[in-house]
Amino acid sequence: MILVLTLLLFGCPVPAIVMAFKIDERTLADWLDKAGEHAQRVQEHLVCQGQLDLGQVQADELWCRTQRGVMWLATAMSVASRLLIWGKVASGRTDEMVGEVVQHVHRAARLQSPILWATDGFSAWKTQILRFFRSTVQNGRRGRPRLVEWAELHIVQVVKRTYGERIERRLAFGDLFEALHLIAVTQGKRGTVNTAFIERLNATLRTWMPALTRRSRHAGSDQRRLEHQFFLTVAAYNFVRPHRSLRIQVDGRWVERTPGMAAGLTEHPWTIEELLRFRVPSAQKAA
């Protein structure tokens, strides 16, 4: 099972696996569903614990075809560590889809830590970010306490105009000087407002998941299975496969690192077997 799931993760076609291992396609689908559910629990247990200084977070949506119509996938990542924080598959480009991603990023972020959100022009991102990234202010009076946005919260948007091939970069919330400072810190050099990292990640997801390819015969079967496959891919991306741009030089030799290592969540690249055998505490399973 571990060998077959490894081949599936890194692009081996299902018909080839069926012929080589004489395994029924329904068995493969069942393994993929169970592994995806487990990977989602692992992702939530390790990432969404309020311990990460995320710095700059980039978010975007991409669409894909399934056997039941077009689906949308919203994703968010931390630029400094390249950590893919969360994703949500939905039948439409909705506020609820974006809200679930933002909520999990909020659960991952250290309270009141500086954070810059870079998104496209979809208005739901700003609405949901301002909804979740707030803290209560106790004033000693009776009644519900007032909610105030984080002091170090900044939101920038990159809007691509279809006419004239023009790109508009704008500050949607916060301070532009602080936003540019966070861009320089998280990207390692001065830069402009951009969503290049999440767009590059979306391209990576399309190469790992055939169902996300714009022109493909491998349409996803449904929302649930597509989401299971997505989280298995997320876990492999974060903890198994080293990222070339994250390698560091130690004692004269290059050390490969995964996004999970760069974020301080693990000390070594995992194998697929380690991922599948990782024990999530029972309280997390119940949640």
Side-chain angles (χ1 to χ4, degrees):
M1 184 182 69
I2 292 171
L3 177 60
V4 167
L5 287 175
T6 303
L7 292 172
L8 281 174
L9 269 172
F10 292 96
C12 185
V14 171
I17 293 177
V18 170
M19 290 299 296
F21 295 92
K22 307 301 180 185
I23 300 175
D24 190 274
E25 290 186 3
R26 291 168 294 185
T27 301
L28 288 180
D30 183 57
W31 289 357
L32 189 60
D33 284 342
K34 291 178 179 178
E37 290 177 358
H38 172 73
Q40 183 174 355
R41 292 194 297 268
V42 171
Q43 177 76 8
E44 188 163 7
H45 170 67
L46 292 178
V47 176
C48 302
Q49 297 298 322
Q51 300 296 321
L52 301 180
D53 292 315
L54 299 177
Q56 180 184 179
V57 173
Q58 293 191 1
D60 197 12
E61 327 87 53
L62 66 159
W63 65 271
C64 61
R65 298 186 185 277
T66 69
Q67 296 172 5
R68 291 173 173 78
V70 173
M71 293 286 177
W72 285 88
L73 171 61
T75 56
M77 69 172 294
S78 172
V79 171
S81 63
R82 308 296 193 270
L83 186 75
L84 179 46
I85 303 169
W86 202 255
K88 174 62 179 176
V89 179
S91 57
R93 194 165 174 245
T94 63
D95 286 20
E96 291 75 15
M97 174 188 71
V98 170
E100 181 163 337
V101 175
V102 175
Q103 182 182 20
H104 280 83
V105 174
H106 176 265
R107 291 174 59 185
R110 193 185 303 275
L111 185 64
Q112 295 291 349
S113 59
I115 184 169
L116 166 67
W117 278 84
T119 72
D120 58 14
F122 188 33
S123 61
W125 285 112
K126 178 182 176 182
T127 302
Q128 297 299 326
I129 293 168
L130 295 179
R131 174 190 171 195
F132 285 102
F133 282 80
R134 298 187 294 177
S135 300
T136 57
V137 176
Q138 302 292 342
N139 52 17
R141 300 178 181 178
R142 297 179 60 183
R144 182 178 178 181
R146 189 164 60 100
L147 295 174
V148 178
E149 292 81 9
W150 287 15
E152 295 293 331
L153 172 65
H154 314 282
I155 306 173
V156 293
Q157 293 178 321
V158 179
V159 183
K160 298 177 182 178
R161 304 295 184 184
T162 55
Y163 53 88
E165 298 182 354
R166 186 166 62 91
I167 298 178
E168 178 184 350
R169 296 177 172 87
R170 63 194 182 198
L171 178 72
F173 185 84
D175 183 85
L176 182 58
F177 177 80
E178 293 297 332
L180 293 176
H181 173 70
L182 284 173
I183 290 175
V185 170
T186 55
Q187 296 181 187
K189 59 182 179 180
R190 295 178 60 185
T192 185
V193 172
N194 69 89
T195 54
F197 291 87
I198 189 66
E199 290 173 359
R200 192 178 305 159
L201 175 59
N202 287 342
T204 300
L205 291 176
R206 291 189 188 279
T207 62
W208 283 33
M209 298 176 60
L212 297 184
T213 306
R214 288 190 173 92
R215 295 183 179 182
S216 172
R217 295 182 179 180
H218 300 278
S221 57
D222 56 27
Q223 177 179 339
R224 180 181 61 86
R225 182 153 295 161
L226 183 62
E227 198 160 71
H228 289 162
Q229 186 180 2
F230 167 75
F231 275 105
L232 184 57
T233 302
V234 168
Y237 175 86
N238 284 339
F239 300 107
V240 176
R241 189 171 184 178
H243 199 295
R244 183 176 178 83
S245 66
L246 296 176
R247 64 178 186 166
I248 57 175
Q249 200 165 19
V250 179
D251 296 331
R253 64 184 185 90
W254 289 101
V255 177
E256 302 287 343
R257 297 193 302 166
T258 63
M261 294 171 65
L265 301 176
T266 182
E267 297 179 350
H268 67 280
W270 291 9
T271 64
I272 298 297
E273 182 173 359
E274 283 182 276
L275 171 61
L276 297 179
R277 292 185 181 276
F278 183 87
R279 289 184 176 271
V280 179
S282 56
Q284 185 71 21
K285 291 181 181 179

